[in-house]
Amino acid sequence: MTRKKDIDPKTVALQKKGAFNRRADQITDPLFHEDEFFDPKDLVQVKYEMLRRVRKDGKSVTEAAAAFALSRFSFCEAQSALNRDGLPGL
């Protein structure tokens, strides 16, 4: 049985906001394994970093989407949302 103190409050908050990444364990991008600032459970952060990898680091959409355990379609949706609404769109 899970005790209340065993529940990660950030995970609960992400779930409540619809921003919990269920594929966190599938991310292969090095940033999310080298620095605790990057949280693979935070879907907004994951999408932003995926977009940044393409725009600023010159990665292909296919390569970035795969590294962040998302589809090319998800990349396009995230890109449109960010362009239209900024970070709240993600």
Side-chain angles (χ1 to χ4, degrees), residues 43-53 68 78 82 87 90:
L43 189 56
V44 174
Q45 188 178 42
V46 169
K47 287 181 179 182
Y48 177 83
E49 289 300 323
M50 174 183 63
L51 295 170
R52 191 189 63 74
R53 281 282 194 225
F68 289 92
L82 183 65
L87 282 176
L90 294 180

Side-chain angles (χ1 to χ4, degrees), residues 61-79:
V61 171
T62 301
E63 186 178 15
F68 289 92
L70 295 168
S71 66
R72 287 177 48 88
F73 181 77
S74 293
F75 174 91
C76 294
E77 282 187 321
Q79 186 175 49

Side-chain angles (χ1 to χ4, degrees), residues 12-83:
V12 173
L14 289 170
Q15 289 170 333
K16 284 183 180 179
K17 297 291 184 180
F20 180 74
N21 184 15
R22 296 175 304 200
R23 295 183 175 163
D25 60 331
Q26 297 174 23
I27 292 176
T28 60
D29 186 82
L31 283 177
F32 285 83
H33 297 281
E34 296 169 357
D35 189 330
E36 66 184 35
F37 173 80
F38 297 96
D39 185 354
K41 295 179 295 186
D42 186 336
L43 189 56
V44 174
Q45 188 178 42
V46 169
K47 287 181 179 182
Y48 177 83
E49 289 300 323
M50 174 183 63
L51 295 170
R52 191 189 63 74
R53 281 282 194 225
V54 171
R55 188 168 188 173
K56 294 296 183 183
D57 296 344
K59 301 288 184 185
S60 73
V61 171
T62 301
E63 186 178 15
F68 289 92
L70 295 168
S71 66
R72 287 177 48 88
F73 181 77
S74 293
F75 174 91
C76 294
E77 282 187 321
Q79 186 175 49
S80 293
L82 183 65
N83 290 341

